Structure formats: C-alpha cells, structure tokens
Amino acid sequence: FWFLHGFDAEEDLVGNLASMSTNERIKAIQKMPETMRKKREIRNKVLKEIKKSRHRGARPSCCTQCLQGAAVSFRRFGNTLSEYFHQLWVWRKTLKIIGAEFGTSVLSYFVFLKWLLNFNIFSFLINFSFITIPQFLAAEPNNLSFTGLELFTGAGYFQQTVLYYGFYTNTTISKTENGPSYNMQLAYIFTVGIYFVICFLILLISMAKFFSRNFINPQAFSGNASKLLCTWDFNITNEKAVKLKQKNLCTQIKEGLTEVNKEDVNFSAMERVRRIAVHLLAWVASLGAAAAACAGVYFLSINNLELFMKGHRNDLESQTAMLVLPVIVSLLNTLIPFFFSWLGHLERFQTPGQHIYVTITRNIFLKMSIVGILCYYWLNIVATSESQCWETLVGQDIYRLVLVDFIFCLLGSFFGEFLRRIIGTTVCKSLGLPEFDIGRNVLDLIYAQTLTWIGILFSPLLPGIQMIAFFIVFFVKKVSLMRNCQPPCKVWRTAQMMTSFIFLLFCPSFLGVVSVIGVTVWRLKPSEECGPFRGLPSMYAAVTEWIQILESYTASKWVVWIYKNLITSELFFFIISSFVLIVIYLYWQIIQGRKTMAELLRKQINN
C-alpha cells in the first residue's frame, strides 16, 4: 500500500487511479482501508491529476467545456440530493435502534414492513400512471354529494370516482379526432397483467437474495470470532453512533452464543407422550377455531349480500350496514391469533423460534382460509347476483376490509400492548412487560397485502391506500414497541426469518391471488353497464379482439405470431417451467456445496 512505501508509491497510486474509468476509480477508492478524510484527499489529488493531463493535451472546444461543466454540476446536484434524502429516510436510524434494543427477531418484522411499504409505492405508481391518469381525461362529473361517511364505507360519492373499476370507460380516449388514442381496455388488462409478472419476479429475486445472504453467505457461518474481529466500522466517529453500534454488535454476539451453547434436552418416555398429546390437542383446537371462523364468515357474507340487495343500492345507510362483515372478519383475525399465542405458551417449545414458526403456520391457515371463503363468495355469489356492477361491489368490500383491518391493527397496539403494560406494571406485576408478538404481527401484514393484491383489479388505487396505512403502522408499532414492550427474554438468532416471510408472502398469498385474478379475467362475465370490459364475454376477450385487428396489419404480424405460438402455447410454458426447475435444482446443489464449505470454515475459525 502507498501509505507504507512513501511518496513515490502515492504518486503511482494517483496515476493508476487517474487512468481508470469513473466507476472503477470510485470502487477502488471505496475499497481502500482508510478514513473518509484520507479517501477525500486521494480523490482530490486524482481529480487534479486528471485536469492536468487534460490541459497537457488538446484544449476542448467551448461547447465541449460547457457540456462537461453541465454534466459535472448535474452529477454533483444528484449526489447532494441523494445524500439529503438518504438522511431524511426516516426509518434508517429507527431500524438500527430496534436492532440494538430488541435483536434481529423483532427487527425482521420492521424490515419486512418497510419492504412491503416500498412494494406498495411501486404498485401505486404503476396503476396511477397507466390507468388512473388517462381516465381523468375522459371522466364525467360526479353528481353525488360527499358526506364524510364514505371514508368508512367506500360507497356513495366514491362509487363515481377513479377508486373503483365501474367508473372506468370502455372507449378509446383521444383528445383530438386525428390525434393519438389510448385504449382503456388494453391499458387496464395489460397494466394489471404486467404488474403481476413484475411482482412475481420481484418476489423470486427477493427470496433468492435473502436466501443467499442468510443461507449461502460464508459470513453467516463464520462464527462470533469474525464478527468480533472484523465487523467494526472504524469510520464511525460520532459518540451516539459508536454506542449504538456497540449495543447492536453485542446483541448479535449474544444471539450467536445462544445458538452455539444450545443444549438438547432429553425427555423421558412419559414426558414425550405428554408433550405430543399437548401438541395434538393444540393443533386440533387451532384448526377447529379456523374452521368455525370460516363457517361464520361464509354465512354472514350471504346474509349481508341479501340485506344489500333488498335495500336501495345507492342508499348510504344500507351500505353502512355492510360494515358488519369487515368488522366481524377483523375481530376474528385479531382475537383468534391471541388464542393461538396462548396455545403456544401452553406447549412450552424449547426455543422461541419454534414458537414463532408454529404460531405463524396456524395464523396462515386462519387468514388464508378466511380470504379463500371471501374469494369464493365474491366470484361465485356476488358475480352472479343481480347487482348492476358486481366488480365495484367487490372493490367496496375489499376497501372496507382493508380499512377496518388497519383500524383494528392500531387498536391491537393499544389494547394488546399498552393496556397489557399497564396491567403488568400496576395491577399484576408478576406479568411484567409484554413481548412483541412477531408471528401475529407478520401475518397481519401478509393478510393486508393479500387483500391489496386481490383488490387491484377492482380498485386500482388500493395500493395507495395500503401505502398510507403501512406508513402509519410502521410508526405506531415503533412507538408501541419502545414504550410498551420488553426485549425477548430468550435471545436467539433469526438470520433466516426474513426469507421465511417473503416465502409466505409468495406461497400461498401471491400464488392464491394469481389464481383468483386468473379466474376473474378468463372465466367470469363482466358487468353489462359499467367498467372498461362492459359487453364482453370475459375480460380476456379484449386481448383476443385486439389480436384479430392486428392480423390485418402486415407490420404487426410478429405480435400475432408471439401471441399464437408463445402466449397461448402450453408447450412453451412447459419448456419454461422445466428450465426453471432445472435451474432451481442446480442452484440448490450449489447451495449445499457452499453450506458444507461454510460449515468447515466456521469450525476452523471457532477452533
């Protein structure tokens, strides 16, 4: 290194850096084991050397100098703006504090919540750009009055806005007679379809990234020695940042030590039989509670639809009566998980991880079963009812479910954590402070995201509503965690938890939603009087008619060929699926090899 060999080596280093491209030079300076001040000095010397070499050569023209100056100014402005927003990104410091105080198990929930928030921002921008903005050009004035109750019911005034499917036109939007046109039918179905393809790729890439980071990365198996010796960032100079980093590192080492010092408990034959009996009874009770909840939701939804059809369809009072269904569904989704957590405490698992994963499994059965019952009700009963616009009716149901679930999430933080702290510190001090229930809170997020995905077809702006809800939930949960909860009594390592969360979001949540959307698009008949697909035998018929039109144009033959030979070909999808399975199998073999090497590396480091 140049700082070991004197001034000549420094000149050689500056000369070598000056000859590199911009990206290579930035990466080389970043990798230097030096402080930020020293790196800035090196960068300034390199920039001076580059300017000198330019002056030695041919002098650039005035136009070239102006363009270069504008490019440098724009780049500096972009870097300054990026650093400013990076400092304003509110949860950056919050996540560090949560990780230091409560460990990676609680931190994984907030990382997952932040990931979902970013996901819904992307979803909202896609739908708003390609579906909602064009509809504003063809929108008719809304003659309904706004009373404020629509914020809770989603009906009334909102029924004639871009919030719901029924408001969108089925005509081609054009501002001038001979100007460019915008086909709302194709825009609607292609935006939703491409959006779900992008979601599929994002989920797969995210699972692979977290899986690679937590299962394949050798640093995950290198033990506490490398974490103690190699993790510290010597660029940290702020006293508060140093203390926070020390606390965070201490918590991570504790989690690693609990995994290393874990002892296998040997139970007697009678104790094993007793534990197995308790586990079986707990599973029977949890599955019975989920089945009873699904039966109650089904019969309540049938009666609720009959009540709505008998009343006036645009009567706000009859719409308000339909709040009964989302309230009951949210009550079941809030109270039964507490019952599942109580069953988990009775089972007395050996590690907190087993307790959390079993609770998550039971909650996923409950919530996905309820969502399945609601989807059956929407696609088989509401879609065949006498409603003038059943798609808008489904969108209103999902809007109410999302809104009421958000309200119950906030109430759960108050009654489940705040009042529990009051009781544990004043009335019954033996209870103590509550712990943050990771399993229940994570499944609340997955349930809310599942509803949002289902509702995108019937309410395109629903991701925007969920985006605001997740933003508020993040700070409410953060304040409740800091003031009402205590760190986990048993510290444990949860490197793989984020991978599990993404996997649960992918299967059964995302795959189930894709099935529901597929049935809606290919099988169900759209309403005759509303929406962009009115009058068609199915939503997908809009694509078929478009392909028939393209067949008459020679320049569009390639689109027709792709549609007939790839999109509608079972053989093409069979080949793609086989290729994906082969890649997954080879990837898994590589993972096993790297895990074996990482285990050997960890043993060597620990020795």
Side-chain angles (χ1 to χ4, degrees):
F1 296 101
W2 63 270
F3 50 84
L4 297 178
H5 297 282
F7 185 74
D8 294 335
E10 180 180 351
E11 287 186 346
D12 294 338
L13 176 67
V14 172
N16 291 333
L17 291 173
S19 62
M20 295 180 181
S21 64
T22 304
N23 292 332
E24 291 176 348
R25 184 167 58 249
I26 291 174
K27 291 180 180 179
I29 295 176
Q30 287 177 345
K31 291 180 180 179
M32 289 181 180
E34 275 298 311
T35 61
M36 293 299 294
R37 180 181 298 175
K38 199 65 180 179
K39 290 180 180 179
R40 291 192 185 99
E41 292 178 0
I42 297 172
R43 184 193 61 184
N44 293 334
K45 290 180 180 179
V46 172
L47 293 177
K48 289 180 180 179
E49 181 66 23
I50 293 173
K51 289 181 179 179
K52 289 180 182 178
S53 63
R54 287 178 179 173
H55 284 299
R56 295 192 198 105
R59 183 176 181 85
S61 63
C62 180
C63 183
T64 304
Q65 289 181 355
C66 292
L67 291 176
Q68 290 177 349
V72 171
S73 301
F74 183 77
R75 186 167 61 250
R76 287 177 179 174
F77 174 74
N79 293 334
T80 305
L81 199 64
S82 177
E83 292 178 0
Y84 179 71
F85 279 110
H86 190 67
Q87 294 174 357
L88 285 182
W89 210 234
V90 289
W91 44 67
R92 175 175 170 82
K93 185 178 180 181
T94 300
L95 294 177
K96 290 184 178 180
I97 295 174
I98 292 173
E101 295 284 344
F102 297 89
T104 56
S105 58
V106 178
L107 176 63
S108 61
Y109 165 79
F110 287 90
V111 173
F112 184 58
L113 176 56
K114 180 177 76 73
W115 188 87
L116 285 178
L117 177 58
N118 294 332
F119 199 87
N120 280 279
I121 292 174
F122 164 75
S123 306
F124 171 73
L125 293 177
I126 290 290
N127 288 348
F128 187 77
S129 301
F130 295 100
I131 298 179
T132 304
I133 291 180
Q135 177 60 32
F136 282 130
L137 302 177
E140 299 178 356
N142 192 343
N143 298 322
L144 299 176
S145 59
F146 182 78
T147 62
L149 192 59
E150 294 89 345
L151 294 173
F152 298 98
T153 63
Y157 179 83
F158 286 159
Q159 192 169 349
Q160 298 297 325
T161 62
V162 292
L163 182 61
Y164 294 120
Y165 163 94
F167 183 73
Y168 289 84
T169 182
N170 65 333
T171 59
T172 300
I173 301 174
S174 179
K175 295 299 292 182
T176 59
E177 292 184 1
N178 298 324
S181 59
Y182 195 83
N183 192 321
M184 182 55 71
Q185 288 183 344
L186 297 178
Y188 203 101
I189 194 168
F190 280 136
T191 300
V192 174
I194 295 174
Y195 165 75
F196 276 104
V197 172
I198 295 174
C199 289
F200 177 77
L201 296 176
I202 290 176
L203 289 172
L204 282 184
I205 293 172
S206 299
M207 281 194 295
K209 183 184 71 173
F210 286 111
F211 192 88
S212 174
R213 181 185 301 171
N214 299 322
F215 288 89
I216 306 175
N217 188 3
Q219 294 179 358
F221 301 95
S222 58
N224 296 306
S226 62
K227 185 171 292 185
L228 183 62
L229 298 175
C230 308
T231 303
W232 187 259
D233 186 0
F234 289 93
N235 292 325
I236 299 177
T237 56
N238 184 271
E239 184 178 355
K240 291 183 179 180
V242 168
K243 291 182 178 179
L244 183 61
K245 183 69 176 179
Q246 289 175 342
K247 200 168 186 179
N248 206 328
L249 182 59
C250 180
T251 304
Q252 293 179 21
I253 293 176
K254 286 180 180 179
E255 294 173 351
L257 289 174
T258 55
E259 186 174 350
V260 173
N261 300 326
K262 182 174 60 178
E263 298 180 358
D264 294 330
V265 182
N266 295 321
F267 296 103
S268 63
M270 284 299 298
E271 289 176 340
R272 290 180 181 177
V273 172
R274 189 182 301 113
R275 290 177 65 85
I276 292 174
V278 171
H279 289 319
L280 289 176
L281 289 175
W283 274 104
V284 170
S286 59
L287 293 177
C294 292
V297 169
Y298 177 75
F299 289 109
L300 179 63
S301 59
I302 297 298
N303 294 331
N304 212 30
L305 180 63
E306 293 177 355
L307 176 65
F308 173 75
M309 296 304 297
K310 288 180 180 178
H312 298 289
R313 292 181 176 87
N314 293 325
D315 187 9
L316 202 55
E317 293 182 1
S318 65
Q319 291 281 355
T320 307
M322 297 197 74
L323 281 171
V324 175
L325 177 62
V327 168
I328 296 299
V329 169
S330 297
L331 271 176
L332 293 174
N333 283 326
T334 302
L335 298 179
I336 295 180
F338 283 107
F339 174 66
F340 290 165
S341 298
W342 177 73
L343 288 177
H345 289 296
L346 291 181
E347 292 175 279
R348 296 182 180 179
F349 292 99
Q350 294 184 24
T351 63
Q354 293 177 353
H355 184 189
I356 288 179
Y357 284 122
V358 169
T359 303
I360 286 177
T361 304
R362 290 169 180 168
N363 283 328
I364 205 77
F365 273 121
L366 170 69
K367 294 181 182 292
M368 293 302 108
S369 299
I370 290 178
V371 171
I373 291 296
L374 289 173
C375 290
Y376 175 83
Y377 158 69
W378 290 326
L379 302 185
N380 291 274
I381 298 175
V382 177
T384 58
S385 65
E386 298 178 357
S387 175
Q388 294 180 354
C389 190
W390 65 267
E391 295 91 348
T392 296
L393 187 59
V394 172
Q396 290 174 359
D397 275 344
I398 298 176
Y399 172 89
R400 287 188 283 264
L401 285 168
V402 169
L403 181 65
V404 175
D405 179 74
F406 165 68
I407 295 173
F408 270 77
C409 182
L410 300 183
L411 293 177
S413 297
F414 177 78
F415 289 103
E417 295 165 0
F418 174 71
L419 292 184
R420 170 69 172 77
R421 177 179 70 86
I422 298 297
I423 295 172
T425 54
T426 56
V427 180
C428 185
K429 294 185 178 181
S430 60
L431 293 176
L433 294 176
E435 293 185 12
F436 190 79
D437 194 338
I438 302 171
R440 177 175 58 84
N441 284 284
V442 166
L443 265 297
D444 288 342
L445 297 180
I446 295 177
Y447 169 75
Q449 186 60 42
T450 304
L451 290 178
T452 304
W453 275 333
I454 297 173
I456 279 179
L457 186 64
F458 309 103
S459 179
L461 296 185
L462 199 60
I465 299 172
Q466 195 64 269
M467 173 185 67
I468 298 172
F470 280 157
F471 188 81
I472 297 174
V473 166
F474 184 92
F475 289 100
V476 170
K477 290 293 182 182
K478 176 247 181 180
V479 172
S480 178
L481 175 72
M482 294 296 182
R483 298 193 176 185
N484 301 324
C485 299
Q486 63 174 342
C489 296
K490 295 181 180 179
V491 183
W492 58 293
R493 184 171 173 269
T494 55
Q496 299 87 11
M497 187 164 281
M498 188 64 186
T499 310
S500 303
F501 295 163
I502 301 293
F503 177 77
L504 288 174
L505 188 66
F506 179 76
C507 178
S509 176
F510 179 76
L511 295 182
V513 170
V514 170
S515 302
V516 172
I517 297 298
V519 171
T520 305
V521 172
W522 269 274
R523 296 291 181 87
L524 299 183
K525 181 178 175 58
S527 299
E528 295 287 344
E529 302 179 7
C530 69
F533 304 102
R534 67 189 77 175
L536 296 177
S538 67
M539 295 182 183
Y540 188 73
V543 178
T544 306
E545 293 181 358
W546 178 60
I547 293 296
Q548 292 176 355
I549 295 174
L550 291 181
E551 289 180 346
S552 59
Y553 295 96
T554 306
S556 304
K557 291 291 184 181
W558 62 275
V559 179
V560 179
W561 186 90
I562 292 176
Y563 174 78
K564 292 184 176 180
N565 294 278
L566 298 181
I567 304 300
T568 59
S569 174
E570 294 84 357
L571 179 61
F572 172 74
F573 287 101
F574 175 77
I575 295 173
I576 292 294
S577 302
S578 302
F579 176 76
V580 170
L581 291 176
I582 292 173
V583 170
I584 291 174
Y585 175 76
L586 295 176
Y587 189 62
W588 178 256
Q589 294 299 319
I590 296 173
I591 290 171
Q592 294 301 317
R594 291 189 178 182
K595 286 184 68 176
T596 304
M597 294 176 61
E599 286 288 349
L600 294 174
L601 177 62
R602 182 176 68 172
K603 290 180 181 179
Q604 292 176 0
I605 292 176
N606 289 335
N607 291 334

